[in-house]
Amino acid sequence: MAERLGLRIRVFLFFGLLAGGGAALAAGALAFGWSRAGPEAASAPFVTAFLLFAFLNTGLIVGIWLLFDENVAKPIDKLSAKLRLRALSGESAEIGAGDAPYLGDLAPAAGALSENAQSSLEDTARRVARETEKLTSESERLTALLTEIPIATILLNPAREIVLYDGQAAEVLSGIGTPRLKAPIHDYFEPESLDEAIAALSDELSEVPFELKAETTTLKARLKALGTDGHLIFIDAPPEPVAAIAARPLVFDFDLMKTASAPLDMQNRPLRDLCFVVVDLETTGLSVKDDAIIQMAAVRIVGGEIVPGEEFATYVDPGRTIPPASTRIHKISDKDVAGAPLICDAGRRLHHFARDAVLVAHNAPFDLGLLKRHEAEIGARWDHPVLDTVLLSAVAFGTTEEHSLDGLCERLAITIPPEDRHSALGDAKATAHALVKLLKMLEARGLEDFARLQPEIDRQARRFYSRAEAATG
């Protein structure tokens, strides 16, 4: 239990023990003196002396604790967070004597060690960058080659989840829902025809033609087995103009080939194995009860990394006038939302994009509160597991730090282009980059699944929101 307490809590308990121990010793000494004075001695002077000592002793120890907390415990916490941040997320802020001025040479020594480690990491990063450039070039060639072939390609793992899709497949999937890695193929197509095709495969027949049926379309396709490693689906898609698919890269994550067919286990599966969808909303105001959504966006994270090209963004017609005060913040006017989808359609598409994922938002009660308010119109429940990056930031850095999106991104060396700030997609991307770095920091502290992380989130939620309520009065 003790190892789960933060440094500042342990220091507070230590000084509390000193205050209590001093009071107990004083009470014992005065009781002994009273007993030696005889039964005729009055007790009032002894009680008064004890109360005066207890008050002054407690005040002295509280004062020393405050100095110790401000000049020793807080700097150690900040220094450790900064070291972990540099080690795990590449943040390059300097560590010097100013980070812990009363701890002697500790901060400069930590800075020197960090610089040496950073230098080694940079050398490794340069070598990795050269190999990555080569792999990127090969991936671009493969993407260009697949783009020229009028066949949509989808790779499934043994759990029948999408591991790879090309530009043509993205176009096919977009006609049904939003393309996304790790999505079960049955989210897009009826399972019966695929089940029959898989059953027809054999040692003599490694590829079979079949029909992929969706709610509004039927596509001719071929299924090819990859031994026990999954299946390839080739869809005879009509060729598209290059401009129509050039923006869609070849999307894949071969680590998903090892995914077991198992339900979402929030408690025991490592966080890096879960799929996250980072959501951000722009609204007509700041009231969950009375204001309306005017823009929504989301970014997917699979395997601990942001999936390139898997984004969702749309304006939403709020059915009312956008207040000028809100437009000054997010730059969205009535003209922007004219003709945009209503919340019922936009919310349904977002819900499909976020299926089987953990929802993440910065100040999640606000965004999720708005989405839940429209559940009846959308026709779907927002019953996803939820993470709030405000609280994750508090777990990683403590409640005394700045936990706004700007403050968090500055601390994590994440740049938000000024033109993207207060746009749903820009803020969702920034929050997604922050989440990737926060997950690495939390994992390094042993908070690698929800069973370990949730108690820390609950503890910080009580502290953070009690402070927020006190501030708003």
Side-chain angles (χ1 to χ4, degrees), residues 114-161:
S114 179
E115 287 293 338
N116 185 54
Q118 189 72 20
S119 178
S120 299
L121 285 173
E122 288 174 357
D123 290 339
T124 303
R126 279 191 287 270
R127 291 195 296 271
V128 171
R130 287 194 294 270
E131 293 300 319
T132 300
E133 184 179 357
K134 179 182 176 182
L135 290 172
T136 301
S137 176
E138 292 175 352
S139 177
E140 289 174 351
R141 289 196 193 100
L142 178 58
T143 300
L145 177 62
L146 290 174
T147 299
E148 294 298 324
I149 301 173
I151 296 177
T153 305
I154 300 175
L155 175 61
L156 305 179
N157 64 13
R160 301 188 190 178
E161 297 171 336

Side-chain angles (χ1 to χ4, degrees), residues 62-114:
V62 167
I64 296 173
W65 165 70
L66 288 173
L67 287 173
F68 194 91
D69 182 64
E70 187 66 31
N71 298 299
V72 178
K74 277 186 181 179
I76 289 176
D77 263 357
K78 290 183 178 180
L79 189 60
S80 62
K82 212 165 187 178
L83 285 169
R84 188 176 292 111
L85 186 59
R86 288 196 69 168
L88 297 172
S89 54
E91 194 273 329
S92 57
E94 293 183 359
I95 298 175
D99 290 298
Y102 300 103
L103 295 180
D105 195 43
L106 178 60
L113 179 62
S114 179

Side-chain angles (χ1 to χ4, degrees), residues 356-381:
D356 296 328
V358 179
L359 284 180
V360 182
H362 198 77
N363 189 19
F366 178 75
D367 296 83
L368 269 294
L370 280 162
L371 291 174
K372 283 179 177 292
R373 201 183 88 201
H374 294 287
E375 283 183 337
E377 299 164 73
I378 294 170
R381 294 189 59 202

